[in-house]
Amino acid sequence: MKIISRAEIGLLPPKEVSHQLTPKGWVLHWVGGTGMAQSMTENQAKSLIRSLQQDAFQKGYSDVQYSFFVDPAGRVYEGRGWTVRSGANGTSLSNGTLWAVCFLGGPGVRYTPEARQGLLSLCREGMGRVAQADRKSTRLNSSHSQQSRMPSSA
């Protein structure tokens, strides 16, 4: 799966970054109104994401609120990314434990099979990252437990 990077989108650097993120899953959001087109080009999607970032800055946020975006054609775009806590999930706990994915559509915009495939690919990648982090954490905890049970040399 190709993720279109922040640089390719033309996003500005965030004003502040928090890496306090222990992801366990996803929240799917949508943006758009009844006047949105049924489809959009990659450039139109990038323009919309840049405008969402500008809106976030105007509201006092440090960056665009979403971790990733998926457009109706199934293209995936980087927002805050894998390692930065989101700002879209409503609570501090949710922002620190759930990636926020935004579908670039809304009422009247069909949630296409391509968009579904883009989201599923993103979810598979994310869950692979969660599983890898869990395995790493288990190894570290196991190693620590073994060390703490070793007799001290007194």
Side-chain angles (χ1 to χ4, degrees), residues 106-129:
V109 176
R110 201 170 123 252
Y111 186 64
T112 63
E114 294 84 2
R116 188 175 301 113
Q117 186 57 47
L119 178 62
L120 288 173
S121 295
L122 188 62
C123 287
R124 278 193 288 278
E125 172 71 20
M127 291 300 99
R129 289 170 178 264

